[in-house]
């Protein structure tokens, strides 16, 4: 029987071995999801909300265990793991308070005696999720999707299989019906079969561009709705009037949080020449203050990447950029899965660190002459998740919103996901929206009812 092994990326220690689901086991889970949906969709919204409240309590009760499990499996500093669990609780609380309003029928005045729009669940939704935020990514999909009356199957990244199993247990322990949320312990080879199964009505993927293209192809082939949250190459614009003393910590966090392993991280720092030297000095100083160490220790602020091959890929992208003329201000040293925080200057548009997504602690800094040049350079990307701008003139920056095609535009703040606001991208960063009301309606049948006497 095939198995999945998990390892601690910081020390290489073997954590667990999990037997993969057999074909018969996968069939059982699909059948259970199908039968559970028939009763789950009929449950009153008040009852689902009560279960959400139970879930929040269950997550809070297990916060330390879940945080440690996350850190051991993918290397996130423990304080960041704890913050991720807390954010999941906040998400659950948000939908507990707003789900009923989001899902209520909308009355529309027409010539009819009565006409309205209702929001019916689709059925079983397959989620294919990544390792970088192993709880948050799953919860931001699952909470609105299940509360809308759907059921879910999770195919998580193999290196966080323990987290995936723990998530299913949280739902069961909170009182959700068995089959409402199930983890599939399987590999990517089974996804095509799952997508072709009549039980699966839609798919949500957070992952790479390559994975997104494949899932979009399968979804189109099977005429099933899909939501894709893919990679990013976010620009961080530093204008000449930016208050660096106030925002430099935010700017550094925007690149180095989660050891740089975030699709919405600041990856291209586009700096107007008037403030360039001051920015380099302050940014470099703060990056040097980051403390590398065992991610289970609370004073660790940056750690290893989730796997050694990820660090190797990052190293190659940086080296190729150096070969094209980039200059290393700091870093570019690798030891196993650890890649030292790296700052590059003299970055040009043909370099990998400008064109590609760098999934790790690498800051590519581009000097430009004017504000217009800065916005032009920011828009020069095939990605479209988010752009951030630091400036004292937020009113002038807000007039640039329509000039940036990304899914998010943040002024004097890092790009981040918030349960209250829709989240998603454009171009090769994907399509569809998670979170807020839009996320709750991502997998529903928007049904028109028209009644005459």
């Amino acid at each position: 029987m095939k198995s999945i092994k998990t390892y601690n990326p910081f020390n290489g220690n073997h954590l667990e071995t999990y037997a993969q689901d057999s074909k018969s086991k996968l069939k059982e889970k699909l059948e259970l999801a199908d039968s559970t949906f028939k009763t789950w969709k009929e449950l009153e919204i008040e009852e689902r909300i009560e279960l959400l409240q139970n879930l929040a309590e269950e997550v809070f009760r297990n916060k330390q265990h879940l945080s440690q499990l996350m850190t051991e499996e993918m290397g996130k500093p423990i304080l960041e793991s704890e913050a991720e669990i807390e954010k999941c609780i906040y998400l659950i609380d948000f939908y507990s308070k707003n789900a009923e309003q989001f899902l209520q029928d909308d009355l529309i005045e027409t010539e009819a005696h009565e006409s309205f729009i209702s929001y019916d669940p689709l059925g079983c939704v397959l989620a294919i999720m990544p390792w970088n935020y192993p709880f948050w990514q799953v919860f931001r999909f699952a909470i609105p999707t299940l509360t809308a009356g759907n059921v879910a199957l999770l195919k998580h990244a193999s290196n966080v299989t323990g987290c995936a199993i723990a998530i299913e247990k949280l739902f069961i322990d909170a009182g959700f019906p068995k089959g409402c949320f199930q983890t599939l312990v399987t590999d990517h080879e089974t996804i095509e079969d799952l997508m072709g199964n009549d039980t699966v009505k839609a798919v949500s993927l957070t992952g790479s561009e390559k994975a997104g293209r494949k899932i979009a192809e399968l979804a189109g082939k099977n005429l099933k709705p899909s939501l894709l949250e893919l990679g990013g190459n976010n620009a961080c614009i530093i204008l000449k009037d930016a208050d660096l003393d106030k925002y430099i910590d935010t700017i550094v966090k925007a690149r180095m949080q989660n050891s740089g392993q975030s699709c919405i991280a600041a990856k291209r720092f586009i700096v107007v020449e008037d403030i360039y030297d001051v920015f380099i000095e302050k940014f470099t100083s703060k990056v040097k203050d980051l403390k590398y160490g065992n991610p289970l220790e609370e004073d660790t602020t940056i750690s290893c990447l989730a796997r050694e091959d990820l660090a190797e890929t990052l190293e190659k992208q940086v080296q190729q950029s150096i070969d094209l003329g980039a200059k290393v201000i700091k870093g570019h040293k690798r030891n196993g899965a650890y890649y030292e925080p790296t700052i590059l200057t003299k970055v040009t548009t043909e370099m990998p660190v400008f064109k590609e997504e760098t999934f790790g602690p690498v800051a590519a800094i581009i000097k430009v002459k004017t504000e217009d040049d800065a916005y032009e350079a920011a828009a020069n990307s095939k990605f479209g998740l988010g752009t951030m701008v630091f400036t004292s003139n937020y009113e002038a920056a807000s007039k640039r919103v329509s000039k940036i095609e990304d899914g998010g535009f943040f002024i004097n703040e890092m790009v981040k996901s918030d349960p209250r606001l829709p989240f998603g991208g454009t171009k090769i960063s994907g399509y569809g929206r998670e979170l807020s009301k839009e996320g709750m309606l991502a997998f529903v049948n928007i049904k028109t009812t028209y009644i005459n006497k």
Side-chain angles (χ1 to χ4, degrees):
M1 181 180 289
K2 289 184 178 180
S3 63
I4 294 172
K5 293 183 178 182
T6 58
Y7 297 88
N8 183 323
F10 177 72
N11 55 31
N13 290 347
H14 173 238
L15 296 172
E16 294 287 346
T17 299
Y18 301 93
Q20 287 193 28
D21 292 337
S22 62
K23 286 186 177 181
S24 61
K25 184 67 174 176
L26 290 172
K27 183 182 177 186
E28 286 176 17
K29 289 185 175 182
L30 284 161
E31 290 172 348
L32 179 59
D34 192 41
S35 62
T36 301
F37 172 65
K38 292 178 173 62
T39 54
W40 176 247
K41 69 178 180 178
E42 301 295 338
L43 209 63
E44 295 293 333
I45 186 65
E46 294 82 4
E47 295 179 75
R48 292 190 206 134
I49 289 172
E50 186 176 335
L51 289 171
L52 282 185
Q53 293 165 346
N54 292 348
L55 180 63
E57 293 172 5
E58 201 65 35
V59 175
F60 178 77
R61 189 180 304 117
N62 289 277
K63 175 182 166 183
Q64 292 307 124
H65 163 67
L66 301 174
S67 300
Q68 182 171 331
L69 174 62
M70 190 184 336
T71 291
E72 289 179 340
E73 286 198 325
M74 56 76 59
K76 188 190 303 285
I78 189 66
L79 291 183
E80 291 187 13
S81 292
E82 291 172 1
E84 181 170 335
I85 297 301
E86 290 166 1
K87 191 173 182 179
C88 290
I89 296 170
Y90 174 52
L91 171 86
I92 298 167
D93 180 66
F94 172 78
Y95 280 109
S96 296
K97 293 174 179 175
N98 293 284
E100 189 169 5
Q101 175 193 341
F102 290 164
L103 294 169
Q104 68 184 5
D105 294 349
D106 289 330
L107 297 174
I108 308 294
E109 284 194 21
T110 66
E111 297 80 7
H113 169 67
E114 184 178 354
S115 52
F116 60 91
I117 302 166
S118 58
Y119 304 97
D120 298 346
L122 296 181
C124 177
V125 184
L126 173 65
I128 304 167
M129 292 289 139
W131 46 262
N132 57 332
Y133 291 92
F135 283 87
W136 170 248
Q137 305 275 24
V138 175
F139 272 74
R140 80 179 187 193
F141 151 79
I143 300 306
T145 301
L146 267 62
T147 308
N150 299 291
V151 297
L153 295 172
L154 169 66
K155 164 61 186 83
H156 217 328
S158 60
N159 59 326
V160 290
T161 298
C163 293
I165 291 171
I167 293 170
E168 179 178 345
K169 186 176 187 299
L170 287 169
F171 279 97
I172 292 171
D173 290 348
F176 281 75
K178 191 176 180 183
C180 199
F181 181 98
Q182 297 179 86
T183 286
L184 308 178
V185 185
T186 187
D187 53 33
H188 287 292
E189 294 173 4
T190 64
I191 289 175
E192 186 164 358
D193 290 338
L194 290 167
M195 287 291 295
N197 191 288
D198 288 341
T199 295
V200 174
K201 304 301 183 187
V203 60
S204 178
L205 166 79
T206 298
S208 66
E209 175 195 347
K210 181 181 177 182
R213 291 185 184 278
K214 182 62 177 177
I215 293 303
E217 179 186 340
L218 290 171
K221 176 183 176 182
N222 291 284
L223 291 178
K224 294 180 179 180
S226 59
L227 188 157
L228 304 180
E229 199 275 276
L230 308 178
N233 191 9
N234 289 3
C236 179
I237 298 172
I238 312 294
L239 298 182
K240 65 181 180 181
D241 61 351
D243 188 340
L244 294 182
D245 289 332
K246 183 176 182 180
Y247 291 116
I248 194 66
D249 287 335
T250 299
I251 293 167
V252 171
K253 184 179 180 182
R255 171 66 278 198
M256 300 299 169
Q257 182 178 245
N258 201 28
S259 300
Q261 300 169 113
S262 172
C263 56
I264 55 173
K267 299 184 174 94
R268 296 175 298 142
F269 292 83
I270 299 167
V271 187
V272 173
E273 62 182 3
D274 305 65
I275 200 173
Y276 182 83
D277 291 337
V278 176
F279 174 77
I280 291 288
E281 178 188 350
K282 290 181 181 292
F283 186 81
T284 303
S285 176
K286 287 290 183 180
V287 170
K288 286 180 178 178
D289 287 342
L290 295 171
K291 184 179 184 301
Y292 171 71
N294 187 333
L296 288 171
E297 296 176 0
E298 292 193 355
D299 61 345
T300 293
T301 54
I302 196 158
S303 189
C304 58
L305 302 192
R307 299 191 311 265
E308 185 171 349
D309 65 298
L310 299 169
E312 290 172 348
T313 296
L314 194 62
E315 184 180 36
K316 288 176 184 176
Q317 289 174 300
V318 171
Q319 187 57 54
Q320 288 168 1
S321 299
I322 292 169
D323 293 343
L324 289 170
K327 179 183 177 183
V328 178
I329 297 295
K330 181 192 182 306
H332 191 39
K333 295 176 183 176
R334 184 179 68 82
N335 181 13
Y338 173 63
Y339 189 79
E340 183 182 359
T342 298
I343 302 171
L344 297 174
T345 60
K346 299 189 180 301
V347 171
T348 59
T349 56
E350 72 273 13
M351 295 177 183
V353 294
F354 185 95
K355 297 190 300 182
E356 301 172 5
E357 179 174 35
T358 50
F359 219 64
V362 173
I365 302 178
I366 302 97
K367 183 197 288 188
V368 295
K369 288 185 176 297
T370 68
E371 182 175 316
D372 287 340
D373 292 338
Y375 282 103
E376 184 179 343
N380 181 11
S381 177
K382 60 184 179 179
F383 295 93
L385 267 184
T387 292
M388 58 206 86
V389 182
F390 289 86
T391 175
S392 293
N393 192 346
Y394 68 88
E395 291 177 332
S398 67
K399 293 177 182 177
R400 300 273 190 165
V401 170
S402 62
K403 304 296 183 184
I404 299 292
E405 297 177 346
D406 295 4
F409 189 86
F410 285 63
I411 301 172
N412 294 326
E413 181 58 276
M414 60 186 280
V415 175
K416 58 185 178 180
S417 55
D418 184 317
R420 298 166 294 182
L421 298 168
F423 177 84
T426 60
K427 298 187 275 190
I428 69 165
S429 290
Y431 52 77
R433 293 295 180 265
E434 296 182 294
L435 301 175
S436 193
K437 181 176 181 178
E438 288 77 6
M440 176 146 269
L441 303 184
F443 297 111
V444 297
N445 173 19
I446 302 174
K447 181 183 291 182
T448 295
T449 299
Y450 190 100
I451 304 171
N452 272 331
K453 286 187 178 179

